[in-house]
Amino acid sequence: MADEKKTSKKTDTKSKKKSDKKKSKKNPFKSIAGFFKSVNNEGKKVSWPNAKEVLKNSVTVLVVIAIVAAVIYVIDLGLTSGMKGIKQLAQKETTTASETTTKATSDETLTENTTEDTAEATTSAE
């Protein structure tokens, strides 16, 4: 009797495993159809706005977009003019520095030329 119980338990577990395999293999078309049915049911639950609400919301969105665009334009304009100012300032400083260097070089040249001319004139006179 104990052997019979053991064998019947083994057969029951085997039949359960087979039935589990059959249950796990569902028809994919039924699953897809079930998905679209649930989508349709959820769509029916949605409260859709009327034409006045849509128009009001659209105008609100357009006004906000216009305000944000104006703010971005002003910021861009400020940054652009600031960068131009910095660039001009850098060019002025470079020009001033090169003029100073040129003046110093020309002053030194004049001094050297004057010294050389004086030395030559002295040697020639002797």
Side-chain angles (χ1 to χ4, degrees), residues 28-43:
F29 296 107
K30 287 184 180 179
S31 299
I32 293 170
F35 171 75
F36 284 110
K37 283 180 185 178
S38 65
V39 167
N40 190 22
N41 289 335
E42 290 296 322

Side-chain angles (χ1 to χ4, degrees), residues 80-100:
T80 302
S81 63
M83 289 303 294
K84 283 181 183 177
I86 290 171
K87 192 174 182 180
Q88 288 175 355
L89 184 63
Q91 286 177 349
K92 285 181 182 177
E93 287 181 5
T94 305
T95 306
T96 307
S98 65
E99 286 175 0
T100 307

